[in-house]
Amino acid sequence: MNDPLTGPLTKPADVVDRDREWALLADFLADPSPAMRLGIVSGRRRHGKSYLLQALSEAVGGLYVTAIREEGRLPALQRFSEAIAAHAGLRAGALRLADWRDVLTNAFDVVARRARVPLLVIDELPYLLQHSPELPGLIQHLYDSHQRGTGGVGARLILCGSAMSVMHELLSGTKPLRGRAVVDLRLGAFDYRASRSFWDIEDPGTALRVHAVLGGAPGYRPVAGRPAPDAGFDRWLTSTVLDPGRAVYSRTETEYLLREDPRITQHTLYYDVLTAIANGASTPSKVGSALGRQRNTVTHPLDVLESTGYVRREQDILRPRHPVISLADPVIRFNQLITLPQAVAVEQGFAEQVWQTSAPTFNSKILGPHFEDLARDWTRRHAHAVPGPVGTTEVPDPAARTKHEVDVVALAPGERPQSARARIALLGEAKATATRRGVGDLQRLERIRTLLTEQGYQTTGTTLALFSLYGFHPDVQRLAARRDDVLLVDLATLYDITNG
């Protein structure tokens, strides 16, 4: 019989960041109810789901078992039986369970007797569902029969997987497990600040560039090896990401990631869609045109890629317009723009030359958009005590017969996107170009603020923010020191680095 946790479950020191996620899972385990409880954890491969759940299981003496892609039904049953026997302290081969009902029942019995909390974690569940689709129904039956548990803490079951569509469908519609999960945790990548800490990078400019290439997925660091990024970004890149002998070399990474979703069968089409977006196709029509296809033939692939988190559609935060499509995953973006087009030369040993010729593409199509993303992220998290909606917009300027693209727009807390007369808290411009920002950049934001005021938006108290990768001219620094409506954000501010 298990007793409830009597105090907070301490997060192990080797689990970086993830404070919120750990607290959520610890609270899930601390529930003293004698009834069974179910949790769902999903997330893209390399985001650290398995590492987190193994640490959680070890902390309470639970049983963690992971499925294997290539394994059939009978080998899976045998391996799960052996894991249960080992957890029970039985000799190898002592347990031979014939079906999944027996596996689940015996696993719950063992963790109820031996664990601090009766926790069972089944990782990569979608692999099991390929040959054992009855599992959700069996879990539903056990869940329902365990709701009138008596004495002790009921079984705690966590199901985890990287196939996002499969995991999300577990709780949808008329599926057996709908309405039964207490936790539905979607584990994302580290944010840019946590990534810098995780990679132990001193220089913020280097941290930004590494994040622009690999994003915040922690699973890439162990396979990157040496040299460390602080030894020089160019040297690090050509010795790791552009070295065919390294596991982090990403020529096949896109295929590896796409393979996780069973809905993706036409890999060539999905590759082409991703490449078109990486090269600037920002609407379904433009994607179709880039591929020589009709718009309706790319609608479904775009929907699938959006649901998996590889593509995002961003609405104009002020006006109803067609959403802008972009790549959400830095690894895929770098793969489609740099690695794949130059793969032959890289694999023949010309990584340094390839990187030199690819620098303009990296700066304009990768680093620049990524810096804008981080500027919006900083605005959401750190610009105001209570964040409002943050996005981008396009402001018409009839007198000049032009339109102004605004990189960062933050609405006041409580405002809804695309609302007439919305209160605008911040207007920002983010530039990763190798020049410092000056008064001219501030004057452009002042013009945009005036236009928005004339168009009926509430701009009293709107902050004008300049985000710069290379700092600011003294003239705009002097202005910012005298005005409370001007905000200058450099790399040190973006990464919360205190000088001195």
Side-chain angles (χ1 to χ4, degrees):
M1 181 181 297
N2 302 92
D3 296 321
L5 292 173
T6 56
L9 190 64
T10 303
K11 188 187 76 169
D14 61 331
V15 177
V16 177
D17 198 39
R18 305 304 190 200
D19 294 337
R20 184 185 66 84
E21 294 85 352
W22 182 269
L24 176 66
L25 294 170
D27 185 68
F28 170 73
L29 297 186
D31 185 344
S33 171
M36 180 178 172
R37 292 289 181 258
L38 173 65
I40 304 293
V41 177
S42 60
R44 210 208 77 182
R45 185 167 287 280
R46 299 192 191 276
H47 279 185
K49 303 181 302 299
S50 299
Y51 197 93
L52 178 66
L53 293 177
Q54 287 180 54
L56 184 75
S57 183
E58 290 172 4
V60 297
L63 173 58
Y64 168 93
V65 192
T66 186
I68 297 174
R69 179 194 294 273
E70 295 81 7
E71 198 170 52
R73 176 185 175 87
L74 292 179
L77 284 167
Q78 180 178 342
R79 194 166 54 79
F80 272 63
S81 298
E82 291 172 353
I84 295 169
H87 201 72
L90 303 176
R91 61 177 176 80
L95 201 58
R96 288 288 183 267
L97 303 174
D99 57 43
W100 289 110
R101 183 182 297 275
D102 286 345
V103 165
L104 292 169
T105 301
N106 278 271
F108 289 148
D109 288 345
V110 168
V111 294
R113 286 185 281 110
R114 300 186 66 89
R116 182 182 173 194
V117 174
L119 171 64
L120 170 63
V121 177
I122 300 179
D123 202 353
E124 295 302 355
L125 175 74
Y127 296 158
L128 295 181
L129 298 183
Q130 291 177 4
H131 54 67
S132 302
E134 73 276 14
L135 265 169
L138 291 174
I139 293 171
Q140 176 206 2
H141 183 266
L142 287 170
Y143 177 94
D144 292 346
S145 64
H146 284 200
Q147 291 313 293
R148 297 183 64 186
T150 57
V153 177
R156 301 293 179 253
L157 174 62
I158 295 179
L159 305 175
C160 180
S162 302
M164 303 290 282
S165 63
V166 177
M167 297 304 296
H168 295 174
E169 287 179 5
L170 286 176
L171 306 178
S172 67
T174 59
K175 298 296 183 181
L177 299 180
R178 177 175 172 80
R180 290 170 172 82
V182 177
V183 169
D184 183 11
L185 174 61
R186 303 179 186 186
L187 197 69
F190 289 158
D191 68 26
Y192 65 95
R193 287 185 178 179
S195 294
R196 173 175 173 259
S197 176
F198 180 70
W199 280 82
D200 195 24
I201 300 174
E202 185 70 24
D203 174 56
T206 300
L208 171 68
R209 287 168 173 79
V210 171
H211 197 263
V213 174
L214 294 179
Y220 290 110
R221 187 186 178 189
V223 297
R226 300 181 66 185
D230 266 331
F233 176 74
D234 293 349
R235 180 182 170 219
W236 171 81
L237 188 84
T238 56
S239 301
T240 53
V241 181
L242 291 181
D243 183 347
R246 299 285 190 134
V248 75
Y249 175 63
S250 61
R251 181 177 185 179
T252 60
E253 186 67 12
T254 300
E255 180 181 354
Y256 179 65
L257 296 174
L258 294 180
R259 205 168 57 214
E260 292 300 321
D261 196 311
R263 297 172 300 174
I264 298 177
T265 55
Q266 296 177 285
H267 284 186
T268 300
L269 173 59
Y270 282 82
Y271 261 104
D272 292 345
V273 168
L274 291 170
T275 300
I277 298 171
N279 281 299
S282 57
T283 67
S285 297
K286 291 179 180 178
V287 172
S289 177
L291 304 186
R293 290 172 170 264
Q294 294 295 318
R295 179 186 185 279
N296 60 354
T297 65
V298 300
T299 300
H300 177 67
L302 285 171
D303 289 342
V304 171
L305 290 169
E306 183 181 11
S307 71
T308 55
Y310 300 136
V311 164
R312 63 173 168 243
R313 302 179 203 241
E314 294 177 303
Q315 296 280 354
D316 188 308
I317 200 166
L318 295 184
R319 296 176 173 82
R321 293 194 302 138
H322 291 300
V324 175
I325 299 172
S326 61
L327 292 185
D329 190 296
V331 172
I332 291 179
R333 180 175 58 191
F334 188 88
N335 192 57
Q336 303 304 107
L337 286 174
I338 305 293
T339 307
L340 283 178
Q342 303 279 4
V344 173
V346 169
E347 292 174 3
Q348 290 177 344
F350 296 98
E352 289 82 3
Q353 294 89 331
V354 164
W355 178 235
Q356 288 175 4
T357 59
S358 299
T361 298
F362 176 79
N363 290 330
S364 63
K365 294 186 177 181
I366 295 177
L367 186 62
H370 197 74
F371 185 64
E372 293 175 16
D373 284 342
L374 265 56
R376 289 187 285 273
D377 194 14
W378 182 89
T379 302
R380 289 186 191 96
R381 296 169 182 264
H382 308 295
H384 302 98
V386 180
V390 176
T392 63
T393 193
E394 193 175 78
V395 179
D397 188 344
R401 297 183 179 181
T402 189
K403 294 180 180 179
H404 300 283
E405 293 184 358
V406 187
D407 301 325
V408 186
V409 182
L411 303 185
E415 295 286 351
R416 298 179 61 184
Q418 301 178 357
S419 296
R421 300 186 57 80
R423 291 175 296 140
I424 299 175
L426 180 144
L427 295 171
E429 181 172 285
K431 298 299 179 188
T433 52
T435 55
R436 292 183 292 171
R437 312 325 308 170
V439 170
D441 299 288
L442 181 61
Q443 290 171 340
R444 176 177 179 271
L445 288 179
E446 289 174 328
R447 171 62 180 164
I448 293 170
R449 182 170 61 182
T450 299
L451 288 168
L452 290 172
T453 303
E454 293 171 353
Q455 294 163 15
Y457 294 96
Q458 299 180 54
T459 61
T460 302
T462 298
T463 298
L464 305 179
L466 294 177
F467 298 82
S468 176
L469 189 59
Y470 291 96
F472 305 94
H473 285 294
D475 54 359
V476 77
Q477 289 178 319
R478 289 191 292 269
L479 271 175
R482 297 196 303 267
R483 292 172 51 175
D484 58 7
D485 66 334
V486 176
L487 180 64
L488 305 182
V489 183
D490 57 11
L491 274 177
T493 304
L494 201 69
Y495 278 95
D496 192 28
I497 298 172
T498 303
N499 294 324

